C-alpha cells in the first residue's frame, strides 16, 4: 500500500499548484460596468462618454486566459514592449485602436491569472491617451470610435474586482459602486478628481455590521514611483517601495504591504471607514525609448501634447514649466521654446498632437 500511495502523493504535489491557479481564476470576478456609477461627467465618466456616441455599446464579456504561463510570456515579450505614450503602437490608425482593445483584454486576463497590477498600468495609459481622444464629443462615428467606446465601457467594468477575501481597486475614477465581497454587500465610494488631481479617497459603507473583516487591495501606480520605462516594471514588482503615505481613517497605515503591485490592507471595517492617499502629479519629462533628442511630458497618469502646428518646436533641457488652467478649466502646462515662443500643452486626448517634444 505504501508503494501505491507514495507515487500518488507525488502526483498530488505536482498537480496542486495548477489546481490553486484554476481556483483563483474562478474566485476573482470583476464588478460589472453597470454597477459602477461615475460622477463628474467628461473624462471622469468613461462609460458615459462612450454611450453618448454609441448608446447601444455594451461591456465585453471577460474570457480568462487558457494558460497563465503563455499569457505572461506574451505580455512581457510582445505586448508590454509595444506600449507607447498614447497606447499600443501599430502601423495604422485602426490597428492601433484594435491593439488598445486587445491590451485591455490582456490586462484583465493577466490580473485574474496572476494578481499582477502592471496590466492596469498599461490599460490606464491607453485609456487616457488614444481611447478618450476618440470619444470626445466632436468625434465622428466610425469603426475606430465604436471600438474605443466599447473598450472604455469595458474598462469601467475593470475598476474593481472582488474575491472571497475582499476587494481590489484597479483603476482610479470618481464613482460609486455596489458589490459583494467576502460574503457581504459593500458600497465603495471612490472620491477623486483623477486624473487631474492626485488625491484619492476610498470609503466603504453598507456593511451589515461593524467590524467586518475584509482585505482591501489598492493598486500602486508605477508612474507614481517614476517607472515610466516598462522594462523596470518587473524589478519593481519583485522589490516594491511605496512612494506615498496611505492613511486609514486619518491615521498613517504603518502596516502597509505591497503584493504584486497592490497595497494590501487587512483589517475589520465599519461603514464610513476611509482609505486616503495623495498621488504625485507634478509635471515632469519622460525619456522615450530609442530617442536621444525627444521626450514626453507627463503629469500624473496623463501625457501632454502641443497642437500639431506647434509640434516642430524645439525646447531646452532646462525649460521652466508652469501649471495653468486652460479654457476648459483643466490643468495645462505652459512652457517656452528655444526661440522664446510660449506654448501651452494640454492632455494628449484633447489635442491633435502626438505627445513628442523635441530638444537640443
Amino acid at each position: 500500500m505504501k508503494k501505491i500511495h507514495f507515487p500518488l502523493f507525488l502526483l498530488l504535489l505536482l498537480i496542486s499548484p495548477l489546481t490553486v491557479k484554476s481556483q483563483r481564476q474562478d474566485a476573482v470576478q470583476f464588478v460589472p460596468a453597470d454597477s459602477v456609477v461615475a460622477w463628474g461627467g467628461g473624462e471622469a465618466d468613461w462609460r458615459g462618454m462612450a454611450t453618448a456616441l454609441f448608446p447601444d455599446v455594451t461591456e465585453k464579456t471577460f474570457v480568462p486566459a487558457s494558460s497563465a504561463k503563455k499569457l505572461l510570456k506574451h505580455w512581457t515579450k510582445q505586448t508590454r514592449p509595444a506600449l507607447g505614450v498614447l497606447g499600443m503602437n501599430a502601423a495604422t490608425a485602426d490597428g492601433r485602436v484594435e491593439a488598445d482593445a486587445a491590451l485591455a483584454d490582456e490586462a484583465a486576463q493577466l490580473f485574474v491569472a496572476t494578481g499582477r497590477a502592471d496590466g492596469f498600468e498599461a490599460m490606464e495609459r491607453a485609456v487616457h491617451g488614444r481611447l478618450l481622444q476618440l470619444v470626445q464629443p466632436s468625434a465622428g462615428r466610425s469603426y475606430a470610435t465604436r471600438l474605443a467606446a466599447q473598450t472604455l465601457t469595458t474598462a469601467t467594468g475593470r475598476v474593481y474586482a472582488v474575491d472571497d477575501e475582499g476587494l481590489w481597486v484597479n483603476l482610479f475614477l470618481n464613482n460609486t459602486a455596489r458589490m459583494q465581497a467576502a460574503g457581504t454587500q459593500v458600497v465603495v465610494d471612490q472620491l477623486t478628481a483623477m486624473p487631474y488631481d492626485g488625491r484619492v479617497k476610498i470609503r466603504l459603507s453598507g456593511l451589515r455590521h461593524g467590524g467586518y473583516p475584509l482585505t482591501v487591495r489598492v493598486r500602486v501606480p508605477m508612474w507614481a514611483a517614476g517607472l515610466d520605462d516598462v522594462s523596470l516594471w518587473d524589478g519593481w514588482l519583485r522589490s516594491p517601495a511605496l512612494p506615498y503615505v496611505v492613511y486609514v481613517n486619518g491615521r498613517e497605515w504603518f502596516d502597509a504591504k505591497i503584493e504584486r503591485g497592490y497595497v494590501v490592507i487587512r483589517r475589520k471595517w465599519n461603514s464610513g471607514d476611509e482609505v486616503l492617499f495623495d498621488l504625485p502629479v507634478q509635471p515632469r519629462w519622460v525619456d522615450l525609448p530609442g530617442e536621444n533628442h525627444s521626450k514626453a511630458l507627463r503629469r500624473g497618469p496623463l501625457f501632454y501634447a502641443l497642437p500639431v502646428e506647434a509640434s516642430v518646436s524645439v525646447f531646452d533641457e532646462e525649460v521652466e514649466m508652469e501649471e495653468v488652467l486652460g479654457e476648459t478649466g483643466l490643468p495645462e502646462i505652459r512652457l517656452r521654446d528655444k526661440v522664446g515662443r510660449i506654448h501651452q500643452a494640454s492632455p494628449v486626448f484633447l489635442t491633435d498632437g502626438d505627445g513628442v517634444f523635441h530638444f537640443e
Side-chain angles (χ1 to χ4, degrees), residues 218-257:
V218 184
R219 181 173 68 90
V220 180
M222 294 179 184
W223 53 259
L227 301 175
D228 307 295
D229 185 345
V230 300
S231 67
L232 301 175
W233 290 1
D234 285 334
W236 184 86
L237 287 170
R238 287 191 296 270
S239 182
L242 189 61
Y244 48 84
V245 178
V246 173
Y247 298 91
V248 176
N249 293 336
R251 296 184 177 182
E252 183 174 350
W253 185 253
F254 290 103
D255 194 30
K257 295 180 175 62

Side-chain angles (χ1 to χ4, degrees), residues 244-320:
Y244 48 84
V245 178
V246 173
Y247 298 91
V248 176
N249 293 336
R251 296 184 177 182
E252 183 174 350
W253 185 253
F254 290 103
D255 194 30
K257 295 180 175 62
I258 305 177
E259 297 176 0
R260 295 185 294 276
Y262 288 85
V263 170
V264 182
I265 305 173
R266 294 185 175 92
R267 67 187 298 272
K268 293 181 178 179
W269 299 84
N270 299 298
S271 288
D273 284 352
E274 295 179 341
V275 178
L276 182 142
F277 49 92
D278 287 297
L279 300 171
V281 292
Q282 298 81 4
R284 57 190 174 83
W285 295 111
V286 172
D287 292 330
L288 293 171
E291 297 283 347
N292 293 326
H293 302 290
S294 299
K295 296 180 183 291
L297 178 57
R298 190 167 203 178
R299 181 185 179 277
L302 296 178
F303 286 92
Y304 277 64
L306 297 173
V308 68
E309 63 271 13
S311 61
V312 296
S313 302
V314 177
F315 296 87
D316 187 272
E317 291 281 356
E318 304 301 322
V319 59
E320 293 184 3

Side-chain angles (χ1 to χ4, degrees), residues 300-359:
L302 296 178
F303 286 92
Y304 277 64
L306 297 173
V308 68
E309 63 271 13
S311 61
V312 296
S313 302
V314 177
F315 296 87
D316 187 272
E317 291 281 356
E318 304 301 322
V319 59
E320 293 184 3
M321 294 181 283
E322 178 188 5
E323 286 192 44
V324 296
L325 288 181
E327 295 179 358
T328 60
L330 302 178
E332 298 189 348
I333 301 172
R334 183 176 294 163
L335 60 167
R336 189 186 302 269
D337 66 19
K338 289 207 54 147
V339 297
R341 292 173 299 191
I342 296 177
H343 302 278
Q344 206 150 299
S346 305
V348 73
F349 56 78
L350 295 177
T351 78
D352 51 7
D354 59 6
V356 177
F357 292 75
H358 304 287
F359 286 80

